[in-house]
Amino acid sequence: MKNNTAVPVLFFAGIIISSVILSPFILDFTLVPRFTALSVFFAAICFICYKTDMKLKLQLDPLLLFYTGYVAFCGLSVLWAQNLSESIFENCKLVLSLLTFLLTYFCLKQQQTLFLERILKFSIVLFLIVFTVGVYQFMGIRYSDKNAMYAVTGINGHKNLFSSFLFLNLFFLINAFLKLKKLWKLFSMMCIVLSVLAILFLKTKAVWIGITVAFATCCILYFYTLISKKRTIRINSYLLVVVFVVLANAFFIKLLPSIIHRAINYNKEVVENTKSKKDQIELDNERLVIWDKTYTIFNKNSLIGVGVGSWQIVYPDATLTGLWRCEDLNVTFQRPHNDFLWILSETGIIGFNLFLFFGIGTVLFLFKAARLTSANKPVNQEIILCAAFILGFFSISFFDFPRERMEHLVWIHIILGIAYYHIKHYTGLKALKEIPLDKTHSLSAAIVLLFMVSVGILRYKGEFYVREMYGFKNANLNLNVLSACKSAESFAYTIDPTSLPITWYSGNANASLGNYKKAESDFKTAYDLNPYNRNVVNDLASSYAFTKNTALAKKYYEETARISPRFDDPKLNLAVLSIQEKDYKTADKWLKSLYHDSERRTNYQRIVDMNLQK
């Protein structure tokens, strides 16, 4: 195979496999298998470039500079991230995203027509696969269950992610209808109709907003190109990018927090005045509360953020007040349901603005490219679609979390790569520096990607053994729990999908076996990995109580009560410690602060009342 065709073929194969592969033997069927598969194919591409000494030139223009700067800054954030394993994994996903973007551009430069034709035809096949799976899942749901639709996930792991993936795929289906011929055009038209119907049926409001924004953008750009034919419009694109970035900063850093506060206060008033609707209104308020807490952690680390991969760990530091499902049902959140706030909180103002300059710059240069290609209808249509679906995806990202999933990252970066190709080709985007890529660069990239493959394998192994460990834990097989924890843990995998460290499980198993010193050591390690999880902090306090270190036990019980005010366990334990010290007034204070009635509370209150009456 010639080196000029090997890279596009391997890249295309990587796109196919990373879009459909899954494993039923781990906790998350899709994320790690797709991450690992794409890493393998990209490592193979770099190895071929090294062996054949492929000569490439990378033109570092402003758009690419900002995006590579963003990825590099995210990589640097491992130095201050709370959990190293999660930061490594998230950064590896970003590297794969950047490589997808660059490889799309290089493949289009080498063989634009063939590469696009392959992608468009595969998008039709891919839609038929995911649609068939979705229909099969729908046929098996129980219609009496109001949450039954959440079982319709396609091959994406979540209903909302399924819907947003259909949105991304729609870009390629529309392009297929415009570019392909005969049966492929007919198939693409059929898939477009089915895709829109499926998106409407799944009722994911964020995706409905995304489609609306995409449609509106198409209309605006169409009329913009018509006007530009009759009248020359001269705008400094670089100045315009700066203006929009400043406006975006003003919105996200100044305006949005106040909007969130007002909305939360309004909902609070409505809840107080309409008790019959309380549960539904509180549930609708949850997203706003999460956003508000995201700003709390951002304000503590506004310049550089808390580090990539750290949001899921750090947000409880803003307390779980207002998140009744977290406090009463032990639900955890892995992302803030707003990718922009996710980036802002984890990378601070520096990383957020690097991302904004790339994202806003790409969209505005697409507008310029649309104006300059108004006479070339096929190219103009593709540029308009790129701008529409990028803005639509950004709109979805404002209310959801597509940035989390590998297949979403791959396909949006293919769209971004296509957009970048047109921007480079038609707008005359100036290169700041030309960087020749030689065998050294290819070998270095191959080594990094092999490391990423090892991260994927270790995370797969971790999820496999944690899945087994859950079963052992439920059966009270503590020795098996310890064995599974040992097999699961590695530098690349230290916490489970609920943000609980693996050592927390081994600590509880050791405590059940009476190994209190070993349990204390495990809980200390768990605390280092996640110092804001209420279960971790509470059990660390209990381990100190078992070893008679009362001062530290109190310290960590009080910290648990701060993080989760509705969590009664630490308050009950503080009451017990106060009773042991004959400090009945303090014990009474803790007992009266409890949110739930229990037999323990009644018994302790009886003891306290008897002693206070003496």
Side-chain angles (χ1 to χ4, degrees):
M1 186 181 290
K2 294 181 180 180
N3 61 351
N4 64 331
T5 60
V7 170
V9 168
L10 278 173
F11 179 42
F12 181 65
I15 293 168
I16 294 175
I17 300 300
S18 64
S19 298
V20 299
I21 192 172
L22 50 82
S23 172
F25 306 112
I26 57 177
L27 296 171
D28 188 319
F29 291 1
T30 62
L31 180 56
V32 173
R34 293 174 185 180
F35 166 86
T36 309
L38 196 64
S39 299
V40 168
F41 277 97
F42 283 4
I45 289 171
C46 290
F47 181 73
I48 286 176
C49 291
Y50 168 73
K51 291 293 290 184
T52 58
D53 195 15
M54 185 180 291
K55 302 295 184 183
L56 295 171
K57 289 183 179 179
L58 185 67
Q59 292 185 331
L60 195 62
D61 54 66
L63 288 182
L64 189 56
L65 176 65
F66 282 119
Y67 194 29
T68 54
Y70 166 69
V71 174
F73 184 77
C74 289
L76 187 64
S77 75
V78 300
L79 298 176
W80 60 85
Q82 181 62 51
N83 187 289
L84 183 62
S85 64
E86 293 306 298
S87 187
I88 288 173
F89 183 56
E90 290 299 322
N91 272 291
C92 287
K93 286 161 61 180
L94 290 173
V95 171
L96 289 178
S97 301
L98 176 60
L99 288 175
T100 302
F101 172 75
L102 291 174
L103 283 169
T104 300
Y105 171 71
F106 284 129
C107 288
L108 288 171
K109 282 192 70 176
Q110 281 191 359
Q111 38 183 259
Q112 179 189 4
T113 304
L114 180 60
F115 180 73
L116 272 179
E117 184 178 328
R118 286 173 177 167
I119 291 289
L120 297 180
K121 288 180 178 179
F122 174 64
S123 70
I124 296 172
V125 176
L126 180 60
F127 170 78
L128 293 174
I129 292 171
V130 299
F131 183 77
T132 302
V133 173
V135 170
Y136 175 78
Q137 291 168 342
F138 174 74
M139 297 300 291
I141 67 175
R142 295 171 56 188
Y143 302 100
S144 58
D145 183 359
K146 66 178 182 179
N147 294 318
M149 280 301 296
Y150 282 92
V152 184
T153 62
I155 57 174
N156 300 103
H158 191 281
K159 176 182 77 75
N160 293 348
L161 293 171
F162 180 29
S163 186
S164 55
F165 184 72
L166 289 175
F167 172 82
L168 286 175
N169 187 249
L170 191 59
F171 166 85
F172 298 93
L173 295 178
I174 295 173
N175 254 317
F177 176 74
L178 294 172
K179 295 181 183 299
L180 300 182
K181 297 177 181 179
K182 298 180 180 178
L183 281 177
W184 285 107
K185 182 181 284 290
L186 181 63
F187 279 131
S188 63
M189 185 64 213
M190 178 188 71
C191 291
I192 289 169
V193 174
L194 291 175
S195 183
V196 172
L197 290 174
I199 289 171
L200 292 173
F201 186 74
L202 288 169
K203 297 181 180 179
T204 302
K205 295 176 183 177
V207 179
W208 290 358
I209 292 172
I211 284 185
T212 304
V213 170
F215 178 75
T217 303
C218 284
C219 294
I220 291 168
L221 267 176
Y222 174 74
F223 287 111
Y224 175 67
T225 54
L226 287 180
I227 293 170
S228 65
K229 287 180 181 179
K230 300 177 181 178
R231 182 180 177 184
T232 303
I233 303 173
R234 294 185 179 277
I235 302 174
N236 188 312
S237 300
Y238 295 99
L239 178 61
L240 201 60
V241 170
V242 172
V243 170
F244 272 90
V245 168
V246 171
L247 291 174
N249 274 269
F251 173 76
F252 279 102
I253 297 174
K254 293 295 183 182
L255 184 60
L256 185 56
S258 63
I259 292 173
I260 292 169
H261 285 145
R262 286 198 296 270
I264 290 173
N265 291 332
Y266 172 79
N267 282 354
K268 185 178 179 181
E269 291 177 7
V270 173
V271 168
E272 291 173 351
N273 295 328
T274 55
K275 299 294 183 182
S276 62
K277 298 181 180 180
K278 182 177 180 180
D279 291 340
Q280 181 63 47
I281 293 169
E282 283 189 354
L283 187 61
D284 292 341
N285 199 49
E286 196 171 61
R287 189 187 306 261
L288 291 170
V289 174
I290 281 290
W291 289 0
D292 186 50
K293 294 185 185 301
T294 301
Y295 274 108
T296 300
I297 65 174
F298 161 71
N299 289 331
K300 290 182 179 180
N301 307 272
S302 59
L303 186 62
I304 60 174
V306 296
V308 169
S310 296
W311 182 90
Q312 60 178 311
I313 294 168
V314 177
Y315 85 89
D317 185 35
T319 81
L320 299 178
T321 303
L323 301 172
W324 70 270
R325 289 198 300 163
C326 292
E327 297 210 80
D328 292 359
L329 304 180
N330 209 24
V331 170
T332 59
F333 289 90
Q334 302 306 110
R335 76 289 299 176
H337 286 69
N338 184 317
D339 283 351
F340 293 98
L341 297 188
W342 197 356
I343 293 170
L344 180 63
S345 62
E346 290 192 341
T347 64
I349 292 172
I350 294 176
F352 185 63
N353 277 282
L354 288 170
F355 177 80
L356 284 180
F357 270 108
F358 168 72
I360 292 175
T362 298
V363 171
L364 291 179
F365 273 98
L366 280 172
F367 272 66
K368 181 178 180 179
R371 176 173 62 83
L372 295 173
T373 59
S374 58
N376 189 339
K377 188 176 180 181
V379 172
N380 187 254
Q381 287 175 337
E382 188 164 85
I383 290 172
I384 289 174
L385 283 174
C386 283
F389 276 83
I390 290 170
L391 281 173
F393 183 79
F394 286 166
S395 302
I396 295 170
S397 297
F398 188 85
F399 299 99
D400 225 321
F401 48 94
R403 174 175 170 263
E404 178 198 48
R405 312 307 291 192
M406 207 63 245
E407 64 273 17
H408 288 69
L409 290 173
V410 167
W411 287 91
I412 187 58
H413 278 86
I414 293 173
I415 297 174
L416 286 167
I418 294 170
Y420 182 65
Y421 172 79
H422 288 307
I423 288 170
K424 293 279 285 184
H425 194 74
Y426 293 104
T427 67
L429 188 66
K430 295 180 181 179
L432 304 174
K433 186 177 181 180
E434 190 169 84
I435 305 172
L437 302 178
D438 55 22
K439 293 183 70 172
T440 304
H441 295 98
S442 299
L443 181 60
S444 300
I447 292 171
V448 170
L449 284 159
L450 286 175
F451 168 77
M452 291 164 59
V453 171
S454 71
V455 168
I457 292 170
L458 288 172
R459 290 187 73 89
Y460 185 96
K461 178 172 171 276
E463 287 199 16
F464 176 84
Y465 281 106
V466 164
R467 188 168 180 259
E468 284 199 336
M469 183 268 291
Y470 289 163
F472 295 142
K473 180 177 179 290
N474 292 334
N476 292 317
L477 300 173
N478 291 305
L479 289 175
N480 297 82
V481 168
L482 292 175
S483 176
C485 287
K486 185 177 180 180
S487 298
E489 195 173 17
S490 68
F491 80 90
Y493 191 80
T494 57
I495 65 174
D496 76 352
T498 64
S499 302
L500 278 168
I502 309 304
T503 48
W504 178 79
Y505 293 100
S506 60
N508 276 291
N510 275 311
S512 298
L513 292 169
N515 303 326
Y516 298 121
K517 280 293 182 183
K518 179 58 179 169
E520 182 180 312
S521 175
D522 285 342
F523 288 135
K524 285 179 180 178
T525 303
Y527 180 80
D528 289 338
L529 295 169
N530 190 343
Y532 305 112
N533 183 284
R534 67 178 195 175
N535 296 306
V536 171
V537 185
N538 187 63
D539 289 342
L540 176 61
S542 295
S543 71
Y544 283 126
F546 272 114
T547 55
K548 307 301 180 184
N549 194 334
T550 306
L552 284 177
K554 285 183 177 181
K555 173 186 173 182
Y556 289 109
Y557 279 137
E558 289 172 359
E559 172 66 0
T560 308
R562 181 194 71 83
I563 291 171
S564 182
R566 291 178 63 90
F567 186 33
D568 285 346
D569 280 13
K571 297 176 183 179
L572 283 166
N573 292 326
L574 283 164
V576 170
L577 292 176
S578 297
I579 290 170
Q580 290 172 352
E581 295 173 345
K582 302 187 185 303
D583 184 357
Y584 298 109
K585 287 186 178 180
T586 301
D588 186 57
K589 180 197 75 171
W590 287 117
L591 290 171
K592 282 185 166 55
S593 69
L594 298 176
Y595 278 82
H596 309 94
D597 289 325
S598 66
E599 186 177 349
R600 282 182 70 194
R601 177 182 186 174
T602 302
N603 292 337
Y604 294 147
Q605 191 68 60
R606 187 182 299 116
I607 294 170
V608 169
D609 290 343
M610 287 174 57
N611 283 277
L612 285 175
Q613 291 171 5
K614 290 181 181 180

